[in-house]
């Protein structure tokens, strides 16, 4: 697939915004990086399967740095992107998958990524916007940041979302998403795109073979809302009459939708327990068929810090990317201190010491995406902690 450029007026308006946003370490998407190759199962010839990807490509190895993106600084740009989309010299459906900005780690020389293996894009969808049905090699998720969460249809399952929901689109699953509500939808897309790009196996397929629903670019929801929850929502019980593989990906979860209310309820139910000294109260999202992480490359979890709670110092060989769902506090990373509040985002690069401190009168809730599963698979995951006396202890080796 070759990405098409935006028409001139919309592109120029976006580039003007990019100039204004300089210094905030975001890039307002004017043209997507085209995949470097076509999907292998569609190619039948012996010619090269694609072309060199345009965009920002780093020539040398660089090191990610700890960084926080303040929502009060970057959030307003979403409204301005949405305004451009509403008046652009291109139809809203064509503009829909470009209404976003990507976070840029200051240490990675302009690359469109927050860590060596993780990309994050913040997207906004106006009422009526629909992104066309597609599938791709990167594993992806979206964390809903607005009260109206729109919907994502994945392999025939319609996931209607609200704030705090986590929706997973494993590699090789057909999905489309949009907003059929009355107010804009905002979410954070997190993907293992940089890893796939490095391995030269990024592909995107839009030739959906199934039945479409009204709009010619969206799949028909055949399984209905709540399918994942009906089959896998009871802990310790696994359906035995179906295949747990959905899409063409390997070792990915069959559960696509975690509701924010259920996540918060589960954290609340554990708030009286003795917490992990380095993490607080946590829960992980796992593949219910195997107990493994939801993706072979990325791990997702939610974390509760009670009022005034401070974790111990920890460092690990995995990168961690955090989204603040509730509360406010501070995370100290490698000698730097980052205060955070609702909807702020921050990254803890691999093997930097860090600790979290909850500073508000109420709870703090953080969502974490980590590349720990990848590091474990190649035998490179290690973690250390510090005791109150300053002694370094091995947590995983």
């Amino acid at each position: 697939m070759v990405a098409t450029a935006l028409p001139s007026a919309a592109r120029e308006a976006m580039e003007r915004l990019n100039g204004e946003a300089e210094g905030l370490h975001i890039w307002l998407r004017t043209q997507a990086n085209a995949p470097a190759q076509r999907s292998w199962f569609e190619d039948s010839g012996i010619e090269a399967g694609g072309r060199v990807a345009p965009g920002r490509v780093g020539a040398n190895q660089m090191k990610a740095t700890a960084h926080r993106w303040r929502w009060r600084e970057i959030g307003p740009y979403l409204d301005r992107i949405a305004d451009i989309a509403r008046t652009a010299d291109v139809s809203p459906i064509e503009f829909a998958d470009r209404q976003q900005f990507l976070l840029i780690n200051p240490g990675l020389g302009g690359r469109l990524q927050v860590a060596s293996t993780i990309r994050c894009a913040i997207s906004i969808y106006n009422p009526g916007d629909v992104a066309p049905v597609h599938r791709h090699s990167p594993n992806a998720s979206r964390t809903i940041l607005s009260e109206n969460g729109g919907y994502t249809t994945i392999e025939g399952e319609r996931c209607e979302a609200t704030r705090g929901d986590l929706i997973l689109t494993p590699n090789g699953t057909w999905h489309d998403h949009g907003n059929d509500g009355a107010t804009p939808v905002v979410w954070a897309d997190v993907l293992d795109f940089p890893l796939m790009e490095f391995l030269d196996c990024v592909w995107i397929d839009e030739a959906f073979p199934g039945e479409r629903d009204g709009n010619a670019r969206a799949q028909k929801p055949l399984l209905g809302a709540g399918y994942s929850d009906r089959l896998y929502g009871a802990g310790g019980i696994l359906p035995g009459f179906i295949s747990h593989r959905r899409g063409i990906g390997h070792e990915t979860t069959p559960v696509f939708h975690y509701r924010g209310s259920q996540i918060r309820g589960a954290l609340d139910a554990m708030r009286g327990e003795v917490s992990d000294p380095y993490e607080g109260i946590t829960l992980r999202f796992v593949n219910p068929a195997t107990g493994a992480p939801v993706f072979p490359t990325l791990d997702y979890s939610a974390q509760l810090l009670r009022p005034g709670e401070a974790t111990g110092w920890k460092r690990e060989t995995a990168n961690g990317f955090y989204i603040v769902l509730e509360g406010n506090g501070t995370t100290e990373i490698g000698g730097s201190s980052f205060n955070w509040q609702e909807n702020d985002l921050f990254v803890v690069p691999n093997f930097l010491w860090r600790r979290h401190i909850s500073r508000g009168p109420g709870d703090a809730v953080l969502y974490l995406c980590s590349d720990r599963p990848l590091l474990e698979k190649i035998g490179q995951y290690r973690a250390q902690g510090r005791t109150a006396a300053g002694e370094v202890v091995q947590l995983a080796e």
Side-chain angles (χ1 to χ4, degrees):
M1 184 188 75
V2 178
T4 56
L6 290 179
S8 58
R11 184 173 64 251
E12 290 169 4
M14 293 285 281
E15 290 296 5
R16 284 195 297 272
L17 283 189
N18 265 326
E20 292 181 31
E22 187 175 0
L24 295 179
H25 302 293
I26 62 176
W27 180 67
L28 281 63
R29 191 172 187 170
T30 55
Q31 185 173 359
N33 279 357
Q37 63 192 52
R38 294 189 294 272
S39 46
W40 57 267
F41 49 82
E42 288 194 341
D43 285 346
S44 57
I46 61 173
E47 72 279 5
R51 61 189 180 87
V52 177
R56 304 180 182 210
V57 180
N60 302 303
Q61 178 69 31
M62 289 172 281
K63 175 67 177 174
T65 61
H67 189 72
R68 171 212 53 222
W69 291 265
R70 292 185 185 273
W71 189 255
R72 61 178 172 81
E73 294 176 340
I74 64 176
Y77 283 94
L78 288 173
D79 296 327
R80 299 178 68 181
I81 293 171
D83 287 340
I84 292 173
R86 278 190 289 266
T87 59
D89 48 352
V90 60
S91 67
I93 195 170
E94 295 293 337
F95 202 104
D97 64 347
R98 297 182 180 90
Q99 286 176 225
Q100 63 182 205
F101 57 75
L102 289 89
L103 306 185
I104 300 173
N105 189 294
L108 295 178
R111 291 181 179 178
L112 303 176
Q113 56 201 78
V114 295
S116 56
T117 57
I118 302 173
R119 169 182 283 186
C120 178
I122 310 298
S123 301
I124 185 167
Y125 283 74
N126 286 316
D129 284 347
V130 179
V133 59
H134 61 284
R135 61 180 175 178
H136 43 63
S137 52
N139 294 290
S141 69
R142 46 202 56 85
T143 298
I144 310 303
L145 301 179
S146 54
E147 294 303 323
N148 169 22
Y151 67 88
T152 299
T153 303
I154 315 163
E155 290 292 321
E157 177 181 353
R158 181 179 168 94
C159 304
E160 298 177 359
T162 59
R163 178 174 171 79
D165 285 12
L166 175 67
I167 297 178
L168 305 176
T169 49
N171 76 84
T173 55
W174 288 107
H175 59 281
D176 54 85
H177 37 253
N179 178 9
D180 54 7
T183 57
V185 168
V186 175
W187 58 50
D189 286 290
V190 181
L191 311 90
D192 57 8
F193 195 103
L195 174 65
M196 299 298 107
E197 194 170 43
F198 176 78
L199 296 173
D200 192 25
C201 63
V202 174
W203 53 260
I204 299 177
D205 182 12
E206 292 185 329
F208 180 65
E211 187 177 356
R212 296 173 185 262
D213 183 27
N215 185 310
R217 305 185 71 178
Q219 63 181 304
K220 186 173 182 177
L222 301 175
L223 300 176
Y227 177 81
S228 292
D229 193 55
R230 289 196 299 275
L231 268 64
Y232 299 102
I237 300 175
L238 191 67
F241 60 95
I242 59 167
S243 169
H244 305 301
R245 183 177 179 183
R246 304 178 70 183
I248 63 171
H250 296 275
E251 299 179 29
T252 57
T253 182
V255 176
F256 298 152
H257 191 186
Y258 294 92
R259 296 194 176 277
S261 58
Q262 294 175 328
I263 297 168
R264 191 62 168 94
L267 290 171
D268 277 339
M270 297 185 291
R271 65 177 303 109
E273 303 296 327
V274 177
S275 63
D276 183 292
Y278 302 102
E279 302 288 355
I281 298 291
T282 61
L283 59 84
R284 291 181 63 211
F285 306 103
V286 299
N287 182 333
T290 63
V294 294
F295 299 145
T297 53
L298 297 176
D299 193 35
Y300 289 81
S301 60
Q303 180 176 39
L304 174 71
L305 299 174
R306 293 158 292 199
E309 185 170 8
T311 69
W313 290 98
K314 180 180 179 179
R315 68 177 180 180
E316 54 192 325
T317 52
N319 296 289
F321 179 69
Y322 291 83
I323 301 174
V324 181
L325 266 292
E326 292 182 36
N328 59 79
T330 303
T331 297
E332 298 175 1
I333 311 168
S336 298
S337 183
F338 299 92
N339 296 325
W340 41 257
Q341 58 188 14
E342 185 175 294
N343 283 8
D344 284 357
L345 312 100
F346 62 93
V347 62
V348 181
N350 61 323
F351 229 59
L352 291 182
W353 287 106
R354 62 95 177 125
R355 68 169 180 164
H356 307 296
I357 306 167
S358 176
R359 299 195 180 278
D363 294 335
V365 176
L366 309 175
Y367 284 10
L368 166 65
C369 175
S370 164
D371 57 9
R372 176 174 173 172
L374 173 65
L375 275 294
E376 289 177 331
K377 284 180 172 61
I378 62 174
Q380 296 296 330
Y381 181 73
R382 296 171 178 83
Q384 296 176 325
R386 283 185 182 272
T387 66
E391 178 188 2
V392 175
V393 294
Q394 302 298 321
L395 304 178
E397 58 182 340

